[in-house]
Amino acid sequence: MRPNLTPTPPGGAESDAAWSASIRFLHWVVATLIFTQFALGWLAVGWRLSPTKINLFVWHKSVGILILALVLIRLLNRLTKPTPALPPDTPAWERIAARWSHALLYVLMIAMPLTGWVINSAAGIPFRIFWQVPLPALMAPDKHTADIAALVHFALGVALAGLLMLHIGAALRHHFVKRNSVLIRMLRARRTGS
Ligand code: HEM
Ligand code: HEM
């Protein structure tokens, strides 16, 4: 099945383009949580063994599960709502790059928490989301699986960080170089002109 995660091809006028309020809201909430999550992950891994390290991990894992829940809601929302067309002068390669990079962002936003969940399960660490709700284990403890999952979690994190640099760079290029409404329409309902 081809992912339908980018603006529909030309057809609609760009001035009518708008992301729904819920898509915009979830985009920026999840973006903020993902940046926080990188900081928490790296801090937790690097911290010396202490109660603070354990708390940093509880925060990291809890925020990660929250991201998973929000992304699943967002994906459902995204697949059932119309998507605004890119500006008509957008070249084909950019449309393809946007389609596939957005799809890959979704894959990584889901794969990151899932691999984290696998590490936690295989490491046999009892964990309560935000100190409240126990997270069920996906498998019996197994050190080898935990090590592999940690490696995959790390590699996917590097891939996500790289893709985000491209994503943010593309958004800034739309705004400052191409001077179109692509960034603005993710920030508010309607562009005001130009
Ligand atoms: C979008 C969600 C997530 C992101 C972006 C993320 C990112 C990261 C990053 C950047 C690190 C540091 C990597 C390293 O230096 O080795 C890390 C480590 C870790 N994360 Fe996540 N994480 C996410 C979700 C989760 C979840 C949901 C869990 C568990 C339920 C989790 C468990 C862990 C664990 C146990 C480590 C330490 C791995 C090790 O010992 O090498 N993560 N994460
Ligand atoms: C400063 C950070 C960010 C900026 C400036 C930014 C900017 C944008 C803009 C302008 C769009 C709309 C593109 C269009 O209209 O065709 C967009 C869409 C999108 N962004 Fe971001 N973004 C940021 C962070 C993130 C993060 C952290 C993620 C997830 C890891 C993300 C995932 C997505 C996805 C999947 C879309 C496609 C629309 C959707 O399905 O929600 N963005 N972003």
Side-chain angles (χ1 to χ4, degrees), residues 55 71 87 91 118:
N55 285 337
V71 169
V118 171

Side-chain angles (χ1 to χ4, degrees), residues 7 19 27-28 74 78 102 106 109 164 167 182-183 185:
W19 288 98
H27 175 274
W28 293 111
R74 176 174 168 187
R78 179 67 178 72
H102 292 168
Y106 272 101
M109 284 190 283
L164 278 176
H167 180 71
V182 167
L183 176 58
R185 72 189 191 176

Side-chain angles (χ1 to χ4, degrees), residues 104-170:
L104 196 54
L105 282 171
Y106 272 101
V107 169
L108 290 171
M109 284 190 283
I110 292 170
M112 284 303 296
L114 286 184
T115 48
W117 193 344
V118 171
I119 310 175
N120 197 71
S121 310
I125 300 169
F127 157 66
R128 287 174 174 267
I129 305 164
F130 292 112
W131 293 269
Q132 305 297 322
V133 186
L135 183 72
L138 296 172
M139 67 203 57
D142 176 53
K143 181 162 173 11
H144 183 62
T145 309
D147 289 346
I148 301 273
L151 210 63
V152 175
H153 194 67
F154 172 76
L156 292 180
V158 173
L160 178 57
L163 191 56
L164 278 176
M165 281 186 220
L166 290 177
H167 180 71
I168 294 167

